[in-house]
Amino acid sequence: MIRINEHYLKLKASYLFADIARRVTAYTTAHPDQPVIRLGIGDVTEPLPPACVSALHAATDEMAQRATFRGYGPEQGYAFLREAVAAHDYAARGCAIAPDEIFISDGSKCDCGNIQEIFSTDVTLAIPDPVYPVYVDTNVMAGRTGANVDGRYRGILYLDSTAANGYVPAVPSAPADLIYLCFPNNPTGAVATRAQLAAWVAYAKQHQAVILFDSAYEAYIRDPAVPRSIYEIEGARDVAIEFRSFSKTAGFTGTRCAYTVVPKSLQAYDASGQAHSLHALWNRRHTTKFNGVAYPIQKAAAAVYTPEGQGQTKALTDFYLENAALIRQAMTALGFACAGGDNAPYIWINVQRDSWEFFDLLLTRAQVVCTPGAGFGACGEGHVRISAFNSRANVETALQRIAAALR
Ligand SMILES: Cc1ncc(COP(=O)(O)O)c(C=O)c1O
């Protein structure tokens, strides 16, 4: 008899965004005359930068000619994109990352989910709370946790991110083997300082641990003192894997391109204590289970690094950050304590009540959709996340409606 992977049964029955969609559909079906503005799900709204669109067209034309047509490309990505990433995202910031340490993929969600496959199932996990749900759920699926008890899985060392620590967890006293960090953070919008990241690198060294550093929102950092990559921290090459995505940098959520950096100096151990290269393991995994990102998409991603692309992506992220500033000002003026929104496209709002109750209030009284913090973890309760990914007109209308509803 065929059996299922029973670890899937431990997953909490509902997925946050499915729950939100269900409530929004119920409301809009009952009130078809009241248009809803969605500031909940973190998808972008603005079109691709023109430099990327031109590159996409040109590469598509190449695919139409026998002389320039391409079939399978290198699984790890074309050299033109890996070299552009190494030069612009790393060498330019003083980080020694070689092109062949960069693995191009079709998304950071897949990479964050897939990477845990190269680690033992009995490693100890340290995961922030609140958190991007993919880190937790993929480890539950792999059997690294026990049951979910009162909203937390047994076997995970949760790193509480609260107002008290500025939403940046300090290193725990207990040891952990695999540590997830995400800065700028989804959902809190918090960023980590150089000293805070240095403490995590030192902790990982001390415990022979690995940090999985998700930097999907790096393009939103405006404070020059805030590190954009964990590799800006001395010694991080020996303890960290970094994930980056073109989704929020250049509007690629529907176009799909991202990359993962696995330095060659990074090692992990077998049961006898012998060290192995994680680069070699990830290369084996990537080339066995993935066949590369489409050539036109990689060309479009490489256009991000042209002078025009750099200007256009800066303008795009500036636009969303202006939305974020409007949201943060408006919610602060209404008396709420807010975090994020200055180096991140998310504003994390302490609503001082049940987060689903506040979600329902905004939906029914302002016809605005936010994301209830409880969906990101136990520490998210009492908060909601508002996303800056929307048109200016929608943001302004939503803020007027929220102010009117809460007055
Ligand atoms: C923290 C974080 N990492 C990764 C992703 C997924 O990125 P991608 O579109 O490249 O799969 C998201 C998307 O919302 C995210 O918030």
Side-chain angles (χ1 to χ4, degrees):
M1 183 175 51
I2 184 72
R3 299 258 311 268
I4 59 161
N5 173 355
E6 291 189 28
H7 299 304
Y8 275 62
L9 304 179
K10 295 178 200 158
L11 291 166
K12 276 174 67 185
S14 62
Y15 179 61
L16 171 65
F17 293 108
D19 256 9
I20 294 174
R22 192 175 44 72
R23 291 192 194 209
V24 173
T25 305
Y27 181 80
T28 50
T29 309
H31 306 88
D33 52 329
Q34 297 190 356
V36 160
I37 299 178
R38 292 163 204 269
L39 296 181
I41 296 178
D43 196 2
V44 297
T45 55
E46 304 308 299
L48 291 176
C52 299
V53 177
S54 300
L56 197 50
H57 281 300
T60 307
D61 287 342
E62 282 183 57
M63 297 297 267
Q65 304 296 325
R66 181 172 297 280
T68 48
F69 168 79
R70 290 165 191 251
Y72 291 125
E75 292 97 337
Q76 302 91 336
Y78 283 101
F80 64 79
L81 182 54
R82 301 172 92 191
E83 282 163 11
V85 169
H88 291 268
D89 289 344
Y90 294 105
R93 300 196 62 82
C95 307
I97 295 295
D100 65 355
E101 294 177 316
I102 295 159
F103 293 84
I104 308 297
S105 79
D106 58 354
S108 282
K109 186 188 212 177
C110 333
D111 288 352
C112 292
N114 291 330
I115 196 83
Q116 39 88 23
E117 185 181 319
I118 63 171
F119 298 102
S120 165
T121 46
D122 59 7
V123 295
T124 306
L125 300 167
I127 305 186
D129 176 358
V131 76
Y132 178 53
V134 173
Y135 313 149
V136 174
D137 288 359
T138 53
N139 278 291
V140 175
M141 291 168 173
R144 275 195 198 85
T145 72
N148 189 306
V149 179
D150 298 331
R152 286 192 155 182
Y153 290 97
R154 294 213 190 270
I156 294 180
L157 177 58
Y158 284 94
L159 306 168
D160 291 359
S161 309
T162 62
N165 58 22
Y167 303 105
V168 180
V171 299
S173 45
D177 305 311
L178 191 59
I179 303 142
Y180 287 78
L181 295 178
C182 172
F183 296 108
N185 189 261
N186 176 13
T188 67
V191 287
T193 64
R194 200 167 286 277
Q196 286 165 328
L197 289 185
W200 277 107
V201 168
Y203 171 90
K205 285 211 158 172
Q206 183 194 347
H207 296 289
Q208 295 181 299
V210 166
I211 297 170
L212 300 177
F213 190 76
D214 186 345
S215 190
Y217 299 96
E218 162 276 333
Y220 292 83
I221 296 174
R222 290 294 178 271
D223 182 342
V226 171
R228 286 168 167 251
S229 164
I230 191 144
Y231 302 120
E232 290 180 42
I233 309 302
E234 170 112 42
R237 270 186 62 87
D238 301 331
V239 293
I241 289 172
E242 181 163 286
F243 305 99
R244 290 242 191 132
S245 172
F246 295 95
S247 284
K248 309 299 161 74
T249 303
F252 272 53
T253 53
T255 307
R256 312 304 304 144
C257 198
Y259 64 84
T260 290
V261 181
V262 188
K264 289 193 175 152
S265 48
L266 190 57
Q267 297 189 318
Y269 306 87
D270 65 21
S272 69
Q274 196 192 327
H276 296 267
S277 157
L278 285 177
H279 181 278
L281 287 191
W282 183 244
N283 191 51
R284 188 73 171 90
R285 193 266 169 214
H286 201 70
T287 52
T288 302
K289 295 195 177 182
F290 186 65
N291 240 347
V293 174
Y295 171 71
I297 303 299
Q298 293 195 55
K299 276 293 199 184
V304 165
Y305 300 104
T306 62
E308 308 78 58
Q310 290 285 282
Q312 291 161 6
T313 49
K314 168 79 169 42
L316 188 64
T317 49
D318 276 348
F319 170 79
Y320 290 127
L321 283 169
E322 285 157 19
N323 282 349
L326 292 175
I327 296 165
R328 187 165 172 159
Q329 278 157 20
M331 297 309 287
T332 306
L334 288 169
F336 297 105
C338 298
D342 38 9
N343 293 293
Y346 297 121
I347 298 89
W348 187 239
I349 304 161
N350 183 346
V351 292
Q352 295 185 325
R353 71 195 91 172
D354 181 86
S355 62
W356 278 107
E357 181 192 321
F358 193 80
F359 169 91
D360 284 333
L361 187 148
L362 284 200
L363 177 61
T364 56
R365 303 237 309 254
Q367 292 77 50
V368 171
V369 182
C370 65
T371 314
F376 297 105
C379 290
E381 190 45 276
H383 296 73
V384 299
R385 186 193 76 177
I386 293 190
S387 156
F389 294 124
N390 221 309
S391 66
R392 185 63 42 80
N394 270 353
V395 168
E396 286 173 348
T397 308
L399 293 175
Q400 284 159 10
R401 287 196 203 159
I402 293 172
L406 296 179
R407 247 184 227 123

